Amino acid sequence: DDHPAIQSLFFSTDNLYVIQWDLGAKNKNVRQRQKVFLTEEEEEDEEMDEFHLEKILTAIDQTIELDIQENVLNWLDYIVHPGSAVLPVVTLSKEMETPEVLHRCKMFQLLLLNHHIFKGPDAVPLIFGNNDSILNVNLESGEGLSELKELIHTVGKERIFPSSRIDDLVDPVVVKVNEAIQRLKQSHKVILLDDLMSEMKSQTKVEDVQ
């Protein structure tokens, strides 16, 4: 984590990057908007209350933006290259209320769309979930995981990214290997190389007959 520039050497093009953000849940400097309360002295003046509340909410949003910049956008600059695509995901916290989640997801999506690597003729495509919104995943309940797996598998299987700017398709051989592995998983706890090779050969013979 201390040397992102060096680690970026291990990343390449033609990849789908799943980028996860925890909504700033672990950042002690980020307060929840729904938990902002005014002091008794401020409640005596309604205009001062509204002004002070807006000031607090603006400061909270600035802290959220800083968290996104440091923990997401900075990493994107190091690891993502033209020819790849990005699938942003947020992991939910049980301590965060729904309105707060929606607000932060909206901020996250807006900052992503305005980030320089997603703009211009060489823009890297952004992949969103249903309703063109950022995919939400609950690691405790597992909600959202099936949609995430299906979306990743679809991108690889159909050999496309949701953007005409991507000209380099996934190698068909990679797709066939992935499909073979998925079939073997249904009957094998451990997949050996010999098993994979046999499955590939058998499937090739079936296709030749067809």
Side-chain angles (χ1 to χ4, degrees):
D1 292 348
D2 296 331
H3 306 283
I6 296 177
Q7 293 188 17
S8 68
L9 298 175
F10 295 93
F11 296 92
S12 62
T13 59
D14 305 326
N15 286 332
L16 171 64
Y17 293 99
V18 179
I19 305 297
Q20 177 265 338
W21 182 49
D22 68 352
L23 293 171
K26 297 180 181 179
N27 190 335
K28 296 180 180 179
N29 295 321
V30 179
R31 301 170 61 189
Q32 291 196 44
R33 297 166 64 89
Q34 278 68 33
K35 295 184 178 180
V36 173
F37 299 97
L38 305 178
T39 62
E40 294 181 2
E41 292 79 12
E42 292 169 335
E43 290 176 352
E44 297 177 0
D45 187 342
E46 184 176 352
E47 293 185 359
M48 177 62 71
D49 289 350
E50 294 179 357
F51 173 79
H52 187 65
L53 178 60
E54 186 63 30
K55 187 176 180 180
I56 293 175
L57 295 180
T58 299
I60 292 175
D61 284 350
Q62 290 175 343
T63 307
I64 295 173
E65 289 184 10
L66 182 61
D67 189 88
I68 296 172
Q69 180 66 49
E70 293 180 346
N71 295 308
V72 180
L73 301 185
N74 285 349
W75 276 100
L76 289 176
D77 290 338
Y78 284 116
I79 67 176
V80 177
H81 303 277
S84 56
V86 173
L87 195 169
V89 175
V90 297
T91 48
L92 303 179
S93 170
K94 60 182 179 181
E95 299 178 356
M96 196 172 297
E97 300 177 7
T98 300
E100 184 74 19
V101 171
L102 294 176
H103 177 73
R104 296 192 186 191
C105 283
K106 185 176 180 179
M107 288 185 62
F108 186 30
Q109 186 165 3
L110 185 60
L111 287 172
L112 285 171
L113 290 171
N114 288 319
H115 195 53
H116 67 92
I117 68 173
F118 302 115
K119 301 174 70 175
D122 295 325
V124 173
L126 270 170
I127 300 176
F128 295 118
N130 293 331
N131 302 318
D132 290 329
S133 59
I134 292 181
L135 189 61
N136 290 195
V137 173
N138 189 318
L139 297 179
E140 293 187 1
S141 66
E143 184 179 358
L145 285 175
S146 58
E147 183 181 352
L148 174 59
K149 293 179 181 178
E150 182 179 353
L151 187 54
I152 294 173
H153 183 66
T154 298
V155 171
K157 185 177 181 180
E158 296 184 358
R159 298 178 294 148
I160 60 171
F161 291 110
S163 170
S164 58
R165 289 187 292 270
I166 295 298
D167 297 322
D168 297 325
L169 303 181
V170 178
D171 191 326
V173 175
V174 175
V175 177
K176 291 183 178 297
V177 170
N178 182 58
E179 292 176 343
I181 291 175
Q182 296 302 319
R183 291 193 296 271
L184 288 171
K185 281 184 176 180
Q186 299 177 7
S187 57
H188 293 66
K189 292 184 178 180
V190 178
I191 302 176
L192 302 177
L193 180 58
D194 290 342
D195 297 330
L196 180 58
M197 294 301 294
S198 298
E199 178 67 20
M200 293 290 293
K201 290 180 180 179
S202 63
Q203 186 62 27
T204 301
K205 292 180 180 178
V206 172
E207 293 177 352
D208 290 339
V209 172
Q210 294 177 344

